[in-house]
Amino acid sequence: MELNAAGLMVRNVLDVMFSNNQYAELTSMVIMPNHLHCLICIMADGGMGLPQMMRYLKSRTTVEYIHGVKEKGWPRFDGQLWQNRYYDHIVRNQKSYDKINEYIYLNPERWNKDKLNMKCDADADDINMIIKNCENGQIQEYVPTSK
């Protein structure tokens, strides 16, 4: 799935954010037409935590997108560019990491099976169920997190 200009802008903001954060690493990412999946490894205290990273990402990309609307003719949006919440999950074992990483990697190929695709197939995948089905470790669910 090739990124459009807005997707490239999101990737650039992420690149800048992680190049300036020595305490966290973006280990896997895919930008979809209407959402983003990523695995972030937070290695130590001292840098931005996940809530600060998400605020930065949403704020910076909104400013950049507004610039794109004004200067580059990108489609306008009403209200907010991003939803208020995001979903996070602590990866507790290698099997869970591998399963989530595989889901992220294959997401573009399986766009018609993604529940976030408004035109998805009836038997679409649900990342929450994929995580729940990971064996050998604590079963964790995504937790909706405010802003």
Side-chain angles (χ1 to χ4, degrees):
M1 186 173 291
E2 193 167 320
L3 291 178
N4 62 16
L8 290 171
M9 176 271 297
V10 170
R11 187 174 72 194
N12 289 338
V13 169
L14 283 164
D15 288 345
V16 168
M17 182 171 70
F18 283 98
S19 69
N20 293 325
N21 189 345
Q22 64 186 4
Y23 301 101
E25 180 183 356
L26 183 63
T27 62
S28 184
M29 172 192 59
V30 64
I31 299 170
M32 300 300 291
N34 66 351
H35 67 280
L36 162 75
H37 291 287
C38 59
L39 278 170
I40 299 169
C41 176
I42 299 175
M43 299 173 282
D45 290 337
M48 280 193 277
L50 187 61
Q52 293 84 10
M53 285 186 233
M54 293 301 101
R55 273 195 299 276
Y56 175 85
L57 174 66
K58 290 177 179 186
S59 173
R60 188 75 235 145
T61 54
T62 299
V63 168
E64 293 290 328
Y65 194 90
I66 291 168
H67 174 76
V69 169
K70 291 178 180 178
E71 304 293 326
K72 300 175 184 172
W74 292 2
R76 299 181 65 81
F77 64 96
D78 293 327
Q80 297 176 287
L81 185 60
W82 295 94
Q83 66 184 23
N84 285 335
R85 301 178 344 164
Y86 61 91
Y87 292 90
D88 60 4
H89 169 76
I90 297 172
V91 178
R92 299 191 184 275
N93 60 58
Q94 188 64 46
K95 185 168 183 150
S96 180
Y97 176 87
D98 293 343
K99 201 69 150 161
I100 295 166
N101 194 47
E102 177 183 43
Y103 179 88
I104 290 171
Y105 179 76
L106 294 176
N107 203 234
E109 293 175 25
R110 298 180 50 77
W111 179 230
N112 63 323
K113 298 277 188 193
D114 190 321
K115 282 196 184 250
L116 295 175
N117 179 351
M118 300 302 282
K119 298 175 183 174
C120 68
D121 294 346
D123 63 339
D125 294 334
D126 184 349
I127 184 66
N128 294 313
M129 293 309 296
I130 289 170
I131 292 170
K132 284 181 186 179
N133 291 331
C134 288
E135 300 171 15
N136 302 331
Q138 294 181 333
I139 304 301
Q140 297 291 318
E141 295 183 42
Y142 275 164
V143 178
T145 307
S146 298
K147 297 182 182 181

